[in-house]
Amino acid sequence: MKDYNQFMQQALELAARGRGYTSPNPMVGAVVVQDGKVVGKGYHHAAGEAHAEVNAIDDAGSKARNATIFVTLEPCNHFGRTPPCTEKILAAGLKKVVVAMRDPNPGVRGGGMQYLRQKGLDVVSGICEAEARQLNEVFIKYIQTQKPFVILKCAATLDGQIATRTGDSKWVTGKLARLHVHAVRNIVDAIMVGAGTVRQDDPSLTTRLEKGKGRDPHRVILDTRLLTPVSARLLHQASVAETYIAAGPVSANDDLLKRKTALEAAGAKIVTTPLKEGHVDLEVLMEKLGEAGITSLLIEGGGQVIGSALAAGIVDKVMFFYAPKILGGNDGVSICSGRGPDLMKDCVTLKDTRVARFGEDILVEGYIA
């Protein structure tokens, strides 16, 4: 079992190389092992390209016969953009398949392993399963709910404020923390902010990494009344990423219709939802973003957006950065705005929390319990 863990860890490390490029597919890695030695390696590079098992078997060549393949996700047994990996495994003459986790897709779960067992192969599953599930937490959420995995990020002072009374927020945290946020932008499908942030800061909402431009996420703006100016910088980026503006209902006799037409002419995609307490219904919006193929979403909004997202129950994971700064007043912008619970027991609680340092800044990260 110790050797199993060792080889599966190598497969997981390979899988992680596809981070940010495989959506809406999962990240998958595989190694082929013959006589206790790795003779083939592979991972899924991008959606539409060869799966990890195919790349590992091709890398192993003739050494794959009678070998064992370690793969981080159950091999597929259906035709998608590529042929079934189960057939590749059989054709290569492998004798054993070790799997980290079953495919979470309700329509195919267990089918690949069952098929291989029926063909006489020895199949073992559940090796490093927890690590495999965390690696593909986005895929698991999306394939089971058709809604994006939502990460809520904020940067605050030690006294819980994200901007001064004048709205100044540049910069709460230091360079290393900001670079980490851009690394997260590089791997998510979309980033969401409120219209107030757009009007005040005129952000680009692009990815800027030290070692290259990075991959831009789609941009989602919460703008109930479509007040985003057509001159906004995010509508005029040299980027393949789309800009979605989420608004309330638009009628033929509404001023919103004129603004909708102008924003669409500027390149925006307008997504409408019913209103909930006077604002975009975030639960409905998540359904619509899922329908658009967005599997992961990073929220970087202000206090109202953060409070609304938590209240709506759409958040899966939080990333709170705290800078070693104290604003020293109660007239700044708090992390959350809106009405909170009456009792401490009704707080939003986290599980599986961890703490990391980025220079002098502290990141507290965890999952909604």
Side-chain angles (χ1 to χ4, degrees), residues 311-331:
I314 65 168
V315 179
D316 298 291
K317 184 177 183 178
V318 301
M319 297 175 62
F320 278 24
F321 289 90
Y322 288 97
K325 299 175 181 177
I326 300 171
L327 208 53
N330 63 357
D331 56 353

PDB file of all heavy atoms in Angstrom, residues 311-331:
ATOM      1  N   ALA A 311     -24.925  35.345   2.264  1.00  0.00           N
ATOM      2  CA  ALA A 311     -26.335  35.204   2.632  1.00  0.00           C
ATOM      3  C   ALA A 311     -27.075  34.289   1.665  1.00  0.00           C
ATOM      4  O   ALA A 311     -27.981  33.548   2.063  1.00  0.00           O
ATOM      5  CB  ALA A 311     -27.005  36.578   2.665  1.00  0.00           C
ATOM      6  N   ALA A 312     -26.681  34.322   0.390  1.00  0.00           N
ATOM      7  CA  ALA A 312     -27.346  33.498  -0.624  1.00  0.00           C
ATOM      8  C   ALA A 312     -26.912  32.043  -0.569  1.00  0.00           C
ATOM      9  O   ALA A 312     -27.520  31.182  -1.214  1.00  0.00           O
ATOM     10  CB  ALA A 312     -27.078  34.073  -2.015  1.00  0.00           C
ATOM     11  N   GLY A 313     -25.832  31.757   0.173  1.00  0.00           N
ATOM     12  CA  GLY A 313     -25.364  30.382   0.293  1.00  0.00           C
ATOM     13  C   GLY A 313     -24.711  29.823  -0.949  1.00  0.00           C
ATOM     14  O   GLY A 313     -24.700  28.609  -1.169  1.00  0.00           O
ATOM     15  N   ILE A 314     -24.129  30.705  -1.774  1.00  0.00           N
ATOM     16  CA  ILE A 314     -23.520  30.227  -3.024  1.00  0.00           C
ATOM     17  C   ILE A 314     -22.026  29.958  -2.881  1.00  0.00           C
ATOM     18  O   ILE A 314     -21.401  29.424  -3.797  1.00  0.00           O
ATOM     19  CB  ILE A 314     -23.736  31.237  -4.176  1.00  0.00           C
ATOM     20  CG1 ILE A 314     -23.004  32.552  -3.878  1.00  0.00           C
ATOM     21  CG2 ILE A 314     -25.221  31.467  -4.428  1.00  0.00           C
ATOM     22  CD1 ILE A 314     -22.926  33.493  -5.076  1.00  0.00           C
ATOM     23  N   VAL A 315     -21.432  30.314  -1.723  1.00  0.00           N
ATOM     24  CA  VAL A 315     -19.981  30.226  -1.557  1.00  0.00           C
ATOM     25  C   VAL A 315     -19.564  28.834  -1.093  1.00  0.00           C
ATOM     26  O   VAL A 315     -20.170  28.262  -0.193  1.00  0.00           O
ATOM     27  CB  VAL A 315     -19.482  31.282  -0.552  1.00  0.00           C
ATOM     28  CG1 VAL A 315     -17.969  31.175  -0.356  1.00  0.00           C
ATOM     29  CG2 VAL A 315     -19.867  32.686  -1.014  1.00  0.00           C
ATOM     30  N   ASP A 316     -18.515  28.287  -1.711  1.00  0.00           N
ATOM     31  CA  ASP A 316     -17.956  26.994  -1.320  1.00  0.00           C
ATOM     32  C   ASP A 316     -16.674  27.137  -0.507  1.00  0.00           C
ATOM     33  O   ASP A 316     -16.412  26.335   0.390  1.00  0.00           O
ATOM     34  CB  ASP A 316     -17.650  26.154  -2.570  1.00  0.00           C
ATOM     35  CG  ASP A 316     -18.902  25.840  -3.373  1.00  0.00           C
ATOM     36  OD1 ASP A 316     -19.726  25.062  -2.876  1.00  0.00           O
ATOM     37  OD2 ASP A 316     -19.053  26.388  -4.481  1.00  0.00           O
ATOM     38  N   LYS A 317     -15.883  28.154  -0.819  1.00  0.00           N
ATOM     39  CA  LYS A 317     -14.553  28.291  -0.226  1.00  0.00           C
ATOM     40  C   LYS A 317     -14.250  29.763  -0.016  1.00  0.00           C
ATOM     41  O   LYS A 317     -14.675  30.607  -0.827  1.00  0.00           O
ATOM     42  CB  LYS A 317     -13.514  27.660  -1.166  1.00  0.00           C
ATOM     43  CG  LYS A 317     -12.090  27.619  -0.683  1.00  0.00           C
ATOM     44  CD  LYS A 317     -11.235  26.903  -1.722  1.00  0.00           C
ATOM     45  CE  LYS A 317      -9.784  26.738  -1.287  1.00  0.00           C
ATOM     46  NZ  LYS A 317      -8.996  25.998  -2.320  1.00  0.00           N
ATOM     47  N   VAL A 318     -13.546  30.097   1.056  1.00  0.00           N
ATOM     48  CA  VAL A 318     -13.180  31.493   1.288  1.00  0.00           C
ATOM     49  C   VAL A 318     -11.673  31.635   1.358  1.00  0.00           C
ATOM     50  O   VAL A 318     -10.963  30.730   1.789  1.00  0.00           O
ATOM     51  CB  VAL A 318     -13.822  32.061   2.572  1.00  0.00           C
ATOM     52  CG1 VAL A 318     -15.327  31.977   2.512  1.00  0.00           C
ATOM     53  CG2 VAL A 318     -13.295  31.368   3.808  1.00  0.00           C
ATOM     54  N   MET A 319     -11.204  32.807   0.944  1.00  0.00           N
ATOM     55  CA  MET A 319      -9.801  33.188   1.037  1.00  0.00           C
ATOM     56  C   MET A 319      -9.768  34.606   1.599  1.00  0.00           C
ATOM     57  O   MET A 319     -10.018  35.563   0.878  1.00  0.00           O
ATOM     58  CB  MET A 319      -9.125  33.159  -0.345  1.00  0.00           C
ATOM     59  CG  MET A 319      -9.078  31.811  -1.016  1.00  0.00           C
ATOM     60  SD  MET A 319      -8.381  31.925  -2.698  1.00  0.00           S
ATOM     61  CE  MET A 319      -6.725  32.530  -2.347  1.00  0.00           C
ATOM     62  N   PHE A 320      -9.499  34.735   2.893  1.00  0.00           N
ATOM     63  CA  PHE A 320      -9.447  36.042   3.528  1.00  0.00           C
ATOM     64  C   PHE A 320      -7.989  36.388   3.817  1.00  0.00           C
ATOM     65  O   PHE A 320      -7.327  35.718   4.610  1.00  0.00           O
ATOM     66  CB  PHE A 320     -10.250  36.050   4.831  1.00  0.00           C
ATOM     67  CG  PHE A 320     -11.733  36.253   4.639  1.00  0.00           C
ATOM     68  CD1 PHE A 320     -12.359  35.934   3.446  1.00  0.00           C
ATOM     69  CD2 PHE A 320     -12.506  36.767   5.669  1.00  0.00           C
ATOM     70  CE1 PHE A 320     -13.721  36.116   3.268  1.00  0.00           C
ATOM     71  CE2 PHE A 320     -13.877  36.961   5.506  1.00  0.00           C
ATOM     72  CZ  PHE A 320     -14.486  36.631   4.304  1.00  0.00           C
ATOM     73  N   PHE A 321      -7.510  37.444   3.168  1.00  0.00           N
ATOM     74  CA  PHE A 321      -6.161  37.948   3.408  1.00  0.00           C
ATOM     75  C   PHE A 321      -6.236  39.061   4.460  1.00  0.00           C
ATOM     76  O   PHE A 321      -7.059  39.967   4.351  1.00  0.00           O
ATOM     77  CB  PHE A 321      -5.555  38.527   2.127  1.00  0.00           C
ATOM     78  CG  PHE A 321      -5.207  37.501   1.089  1.00  0.00           C
ATOM     79  CD1 PHE A 321      -6.140  37.119   0.135  1.00  0.00           C
ATOM     80  CD2 PHE A 321      -3.937  36.936   1.045  1.00  0.00           C
ATOM     81  CE1 PHE A 321      -5.824  36.185  -0.832  1.00  0.00           C
ATOM     82  CE2 PHE A 321      -3.606  36.009   0.079  1.00  0.00           C
ATOM     83  CZ  PHE A 321      -4.551  35.626  -0.863  1.00  0.00           C
ATOM     84  N   TYR A 322      -5.362  38.969   5.457  1.00  0.00           N
ATOM     85  CA  TYR A 322      -5.303  40.017   6.477  1.00  0.00           C
ATOM     86  C   TYR A 322      -3.918  40.660   6.453  1.00  0.00           C
ATOM     87  O   TYR A 322      -2.902  39.972   6.565  1.00  0.00           O
ATOM     88  CB  TYR A 322      -5.590  39.437   7.863  1.00  0.00           C
ATOM     89  CG  TYR A 322      -7.043  39.059   8.048  1.00  0.00           C
ATOM     90  CD1 TYR A 322      -7.468  37.745   7.853  1.00  0.00           C
ATOM     91  CD2 TYR A 322      -7.987  40.025   8.395  1.00  0.00           C
ATOM     92  CE1 TYR A 322      -8.806  37.403   8.002  1.00  0.00           C
ATOM     93  CE2 TYR A 322      -9.319  39.685   8.545  1.00  0.00           C
ATOM     94  CZ  TYR A 322      -9.731  38.377   8.348  1.00  0.00           C
ATOM     95  OH  TYR A 322     -11.045  38.049   8.490  1.00  0.00           O
ATOM     96  N   ALA A 323      -3.921  41.979   6.294  1.00  0.00           N
ATOM     97  CA  ALA A 323      -2.669  42.734   6.297  1.00  0.00           C
ATOM     98  C   ALA A 323      -2.371  43.198   7.718  1.00  0.00           C
ATOM     99  O   ALA A 323      -3.292  43.432   8.505  1.00  0.00           O
ATOM    100  CB  ALA A 323      -2.786  43.932   5.364  1.00  0.00           C
ATOM    101  N   PRO A 324      -1.092  43.369   8.091  1.00  0.00           N
ATOM    102  CA  PRO A 324      -0.735  43.851   9.430  1.00  0.00           C
ATOM    103  C   PRO A 324      -0.959  45.359   9.531  1.00  0.00           C
ATOM    104  O   PRO A 324      -0.040  46.140   9.796  1.00  0.00           O
ATOM    105  CB  PRO A 324       0.743  43.465   9.550  1.00  0.00           C
ATOM    106  CG  PRO A 324       1.240  43.516   8.148  1.00  0.00           C
ATOM    107  CD  PRO A 324       0.104  43.063   7.287  1.00  0.00           C
ATOM    108  N   LYS A 325      -2.220  45.740   9.315  1.00  0.00           N
ATOM    109  CA  LYS A 325      -2.598  47.150   9.356  1.00  0.00           C
ATOM    110  C   LYS A 325      -3.871  47.294  10.174  1.00  0.00           C
ATOM    111  O   LYS A 325      -4.732  46.402  10.147  1.00  0.00           O
ATOM    112  CB  LYS A 325      -2.860  47.688   7.940  1.00  0.00           C
ATOM    113  CG  LYS A 325      -1.666  47.616   7.001  1.00  0.00           C
ATOM    114  CD  LYS A 325      -2.060  48.054   5.601  1.00  0.00           C
ATOM    115  CE  LYS A 325      -0.873  47.954   4.643  1.00  0.00           C
ATOM    116  NZ  LYS A 325      -1.249  48.315   3.247  1.00  0.00           N
ATOM    117  N   ILE A 326      -3.991  48.407  10.876  1.00  0.00           N
ATOM    118  CA  ILE A 326      -5.197  48.701  11.654  1.00  0.00           C
ATOM    119  C   ILE A 326      -5.708  50.064  11.202  1.00  0.00           C
ATOM    120  O   ILE A 326      -5.016  51.073  11.350  1.00  0.00           O
ATOM    121  CB  ILE A 326      -4.894  48.699  13.159  1.00  0.00           C
ATOM    122  CG1 ILE A 326      -4.362  47.324  13.586  1.00  0.00           C
ATOM    123  CG2 ILE A 326      -6.149  49.058  13.952  1.00  0.00           C
ATOM    124  CD1 ILE A 326      -3.832  47.291  15.003  1.00  0.00           C
ATOM    125  N   LEU A 327      -6.897  50.087  10.644  1.00  0.00           N
ATOM    126  CA  LEU A 327      -7.441  51.346  10.150  1.00  0.00           C
ATOM    127  C   LEU A 327      -7.737  52.286  11.319  1.00  0.00           C
ATOM    128  O   LEU A 327      -7.586  53.494  11.216  1.00  0.00           O
ATOM    129  CB  LEU A 327      -8.704  51.085   9.330  1.00  0.00           C
ATOM    130  CG  LEU A 327      -9.028  52.095   8.236  1.00  0.00           C
ATOM    131  CD1 LEU A 327      -7.843  52.305   7.298  1.00  0.00           C
ATOM    132  CD2 LEU A 327     -10.240  51.641   7.441  1.00  0.00           C
ATOM    133  N   GLY A 328      -8.176  51.714  12.443  1.00  0.00           N
ATOM    134  CA  GLY A 328      -8.306  52.511  13.658  1.00  0.00           C
ATOM    135  C   GLY A 328      -9.559  53.346  13.765  1.00  0.00           C
ATOM    136  O   GLY A 328      -9.617  54.283  14.562  1.00  0.00           O
ATOM    137  N   GLY A 329     -10.558  53.049  12.971  1.00  0.00           N
ATOM    138  CA  GLY A 329     -11.834  53.766  13.064  1.00  0.00           C
ATOM    139  C   GLY A 329     -12.961  52.824  12.694  1.00  0.00           C
ATOM    140  O   GLY A 329     -12.731  51.688  12.297  1.00  0.00           O
ATOM    141  N   ASN A 330     -14.183  53.296  12.823  1.00  0.00           N
ATOM    142  CA  ASN A 330     -15.322  52.468  12.428  1.00  0.00           C
ATOM    143  C   ASN A 330     -16.078  53.067  11.252  1.00  0.00           C
ATOM    144  O   ASN A 330     -17.245  52.771  11.021  1.00  0.00           O
ATOM    145  CB  ASN A 330     -16.288  52.259  13.612  1.00  0.00           C
ATOM    146  CG  ASN A 330     -16.907  53.566  14.106  1.00  0.00           C
ATOM    147  OD1 ASN A 330     -16.582  54.645  13.601  1.00  0.00           O
ATOM    148  ND2 ASN A 330     -17.797  53.462  15.077  1.00  0.00           N
ATOM    149  N   ASP A 331     -15.389  53.937  10.509  1.00  0.00           N
ATOM    150  CA  ASP A 331     -16.036  54.591   9.377  1.00  0.00           C
ATOM    151  C   ASP A 331     -15.495  54.107   8.037  1.00  0.00           C
ATOM    152  O   ASP A 331     -15.765  54.704   6.998  1.00  0.00           O
ATOM    153  CB  ASP A 331     -15.870  56.115   9.482  1.00  0.00           C
ATOM    154  CG  ASP A 331     -14.402  56.546   9.581  1.00  0.00           C
ATOM    155  OD1 ASP A 331     -13.531  55.653   9.698  1.00  0.00           O
ATOM    156  OD2 ASP A 331     -14.136  57.757   9.531  1.00  0.00           O
TER     157      ASP A 331
END
